[in-house]
């Protein structure tokens, strides 16, 4: 059952950047919204981040999954990551934590496992701990990929997220299609995005033995843009 019923007043509603429209009970499904409402979603495309891992290092054969089990938003991305890696026949290991100390211990365990790369979804618990753990991965030469640019600002190798400028354009085009071309919101699929912005921490990139130009070349077909940044402490000073 859709929570809101904008069809009652016949005014079409187009939402923007809703991560889980179905879970929020705005639409019945992503393909067939079902009411007088549709829009765009900024849900985390886990496969796109996985693609970056293998674009940077095609020989990756052991991936660490670092997240908090207390974060509901991490459940589906981690399930998607496992499915992706299972399909490729790549080994993976999960380590979790519910606070900074536990995440730090989980990071130590992943380093000890000698994984080739580490993936974290948009997980607030790990994000809070990033400044306490990024040097562990840096010293071990392990790239940490995560589901938001804020991770890269705080020391992760790469943060990935939706290109919101492109999302805004697509939302506007959807409005035009409904108002001018007569498209029906109830049968207009919610728009999602495969290509987003990759934010690469150039300090970490160099420190773990990678060249930013090589990374940009590897990533170019998987992103709408690649942004260079440095660690959070310096970022805060610049602001």
């Amino acid at each position: 059952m859709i929570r809101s019923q904008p069809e009652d007043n016949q005014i079409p509603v187009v939402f923007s950047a809703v991560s889980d429209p179905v879970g929020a009970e705005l639409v019945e499904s992503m393909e067939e919204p079902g009411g007088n409402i549709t829009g765009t979603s900024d849900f985390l495309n886990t496969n796109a981040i996985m693609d970056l891992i293998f674009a940077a290092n095609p020989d990756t054969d052991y991936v660490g999954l670092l997240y908090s089990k207390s974060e509901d938003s991490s459940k589906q991305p981690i399930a998607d990551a496992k499915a992706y890696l299972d399909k490729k026949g790549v080994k993976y290991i999960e380590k979790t934590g519910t606070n900074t100390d536990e995440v730090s211990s989980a990071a130590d365990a992943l380093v000890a496992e000698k994984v080739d790369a580490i993936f974290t979804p948009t997980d607030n618990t790990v994000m809070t701990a990033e400044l306490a753990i990024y040097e562990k991965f840096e010293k071990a030469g392990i790239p940490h990929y995560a589901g938001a640019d804020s991770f890269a600002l705080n020391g992760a190798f790469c943060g990935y997220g939706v290109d919101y400028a492109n999302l805004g354009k697509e939302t506007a085009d959807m409005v035009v299609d409904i108002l001018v071309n007569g498209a029906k919101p109830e049968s207009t699929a919610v728009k999602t995005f495969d290509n987003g912005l990759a934010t690469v921490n150039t300090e970490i990139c160099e420190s773990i033995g990678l060249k930013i130009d090589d990374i940009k070349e590897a990533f170019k077909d998987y992103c709408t843009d690649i942004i260079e940044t440095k660690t959070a402490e310096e970022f805060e000073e610049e602001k």
Side-chain angles (χ1 to χ4, degrees):
M1 176 65 68
I2 301 176
R3 179 181 297 156
S4 57
Q5 297 293 333
E7 67 271 17
D8 291 345
N9 57 23
Q10 298 303 304
I11 299 175
V13 173
V14 177
F15 55 78
S16 179
V18 176
S19 298
D20 184 4
V22 176
E25 299 182 12
L26 293 175
V27 299
E28 292 178 357
S29 75
M30 298 290 278
E31 296 77 19
E32 295 284 340
N36 198 23
I37 183 171
T38 188
T40 57
S41 173
D42 62 351
F43 86 107
L44 177 65
N45 188 326
T46 303
N47 285 2
I49 302 178
M50 294 290 108
D51 286 341
L52 295 183
I53 292 175
F54 290 92
N57 180 12
D59 295 328
T60 296
D61 61 12
Y62 195 15
V63 176
L65 305 177
L66 177 63
Y67 64 102
S68 171
K69 288 184 177 179
S70 64
E71 298 264 351
D72 289 339
S73 61
S74 292
K75 294 178 181 178
Q76 189 59 53
I78 290 297
D80 292 341
K82 291 178 182 178
Y84 180 104
L85 295 169
D86 284 337
K87 187 174 182 179
K88 288 183 73 72
V90 172
K91 181 181 176 182
Y92 56 84
I93 184 171
E94 299 174 67
K95 294 295 178 182
T96 65
T98 59
N99 56 49
T100 295
D101 287 343
E102 291 179 1
V103 170
S104 184
S105 294
D108 288 333
L110 290 174
V111 170
E113 283 287 328
K114 298 182 180 180
V115 296
D116 296 313
I118 294 168
F119 165 67
T120 296
T122 310
D123 189 300
N124 290 325
T125 302
V126 179
M127 178 64 246
T128 299
E130 188 66 34
L131 283 171
I133 65 174
Y134 81 91
E135 290 180 323
K136 299 175 186 288
F137 301 148
E138 180 185 13
K139 291 176 181 177
I142 303 171
H144 185 194
Y145 294 79
D149 62 356
S150 51
F151 281 87
L153 296 175
N154 280 7
F157 166 66
C158 179
Y160 178 90
V162 167
D163 181 343
Y164 284 95
N166 185 44
L167 182 147
K169 177 182 180 300
E170 292 291 342
T171 305
D173 288 346
M174 189 175 285
V175 170
V176 171
D177 198 33
I178 292 171
L179 296 181
V180 177
N181 301 325
K184 302 297 184 183
E186 62 268 23
S187 57
T188 299
V190 175
K191 177 74 176 180
T192 57
F193 302 86
D194 292 332
N195 281 11
L197 297 175
T199 301
V200 178
N201 187 311
T202 55
E203 293 175 327
I204 299 300
C205 183
E206 179 180 1
S207 181
I208 64 177
L210 301 174
K211 296 180 179 179
I212 185 61
D213 288 343
D214 291 343
I215 291 299
K216 291 171 98 171
E217 179 66 22
F219 284 2
K220 69 179 184 179
D221 292 335
Y222 300 96
C223 311
T224 57
D225 199 7
I226 300 165
I227 299 170
E228 298 177 30
T229 193
K230 294 184 179 180
T231 55
E233 295 96 335
E234 184 168 338
F235 174 77
E236 292 297 334
E237 289 172 4
E238 290 175 356
K239 291 186 68 176

